[in-house]
Amino acid sequence: MTTKYWVGNGGNWSDTAHWSLSSGGAGGAGVPTSENDVKFDINSFSIDSQTVIIDIPNSVCKSLDFTGVTNSPTFDISEHLFVFGDITFIYEMSVSGLSWLHVTEDATCILTTNGLRIECEYLIIEAGANLTLADNLSIKNFAVVGGIFSSAGFTINCEDLEFYGSGTIINIDGSIITVSGGYEYSCI
């Protein structure tokens, strides 16, 4: 498994010039696959308020980590992004977009938001995936579709919350969940 680092400020996920095999290294490493951990770090952005756009339908990566990022970037999920491992965001960034962030089947994921509100259209936990929160979750829309979800006692704030599909397992013991829009639960 190879780690791919984002370099060169904002741009499109599909642009290989932004992918390096080392932090701050030369681009050209190729777009990440499901075998690649993806890291955004102190060497990813030298200019404030840059945007990374998921522009390829059904983009993938093993894990997604923004630890150490500076200059308040925006992560724009304009196409579906499928993650097979842990997801770590930082408070000093934005996550937006009109598409979905998927924790995909057979993935075991710890989601760390560090206080960030996730504003992409949906975070989806797919059938066979297992997601556990590492801290409070504030999100636009959240769905568990046949997957396993544990809030680990953390608070959840969202506009829309959905739990459905055969095999869905939900552990929300000790959590306070605030839903400002709608709630749907059905395991058929």
Side-chain angles (χ1 to χ4, degrees), residues 85-139:
D86 294 343
I87 302 169
T88 304
F89 295 121
I90 63 167
Y91 181 75
E92 299 82 10
M93 67 179 293
S94 299
V95 176
S96 61
L98 297 175
S99 203
W100 300 356
L101 175 59
H102 300 258
V103 176
T104 195
E105 60 185 79
D106 300 324
T108 298
C109 174
I110 297 172
L111 173 61
T112 306
T113 65
N114 288 301
L116 171 74
R117 178 170 171 81
I118 301 170
E119 291 287 343
C120 63
E121 192 60 30
Y122 262 97
L123 170 63
I124 304 286
I125 312 308
E126 295 185 349
N130 183 340
L131 181 130
T132 301
L133 296 182
D135 53 11
N136 294 332
L137 177 63
S138 181
I139 190 163

Side-chain angles (χ1 to χ4, degrees), residues 50-114:
Q50 295 291 291
T51 300
V52 174
I53 301 168
I54 304 296
D55 64 323
I56 304 171
N58 303 321
S59 295
V60 296
C61 63
K62 176 71 176 165
S63 66
L64 183 64
D65 188 355
F66 285 83
T67 302
V69 161
T70 59
N71 295 313
S72 305
T74 295
F75 192 59
D76 183 344
I77 303 173
S78 291
E79 295 286 348
H80 293 276
L81 174 61
F82 295 84
V83 180
F84 292 80
D86 294 343
I87 302 169
T88 304
F89 295 121
I90 63 167
Y91 181 75
E92 299 82 10
M93 67 179 293
S94 299
V95 176
S96 61
L98 297 175
S99 203
W100 300 356
L101 175 59
H102 300 258
V103 176
T104 195
E105 60 185 79
D106 300 324
T108 298
C109 174
I110 297 172
L111 173 61
T112 306
T113 65
N114 288 301

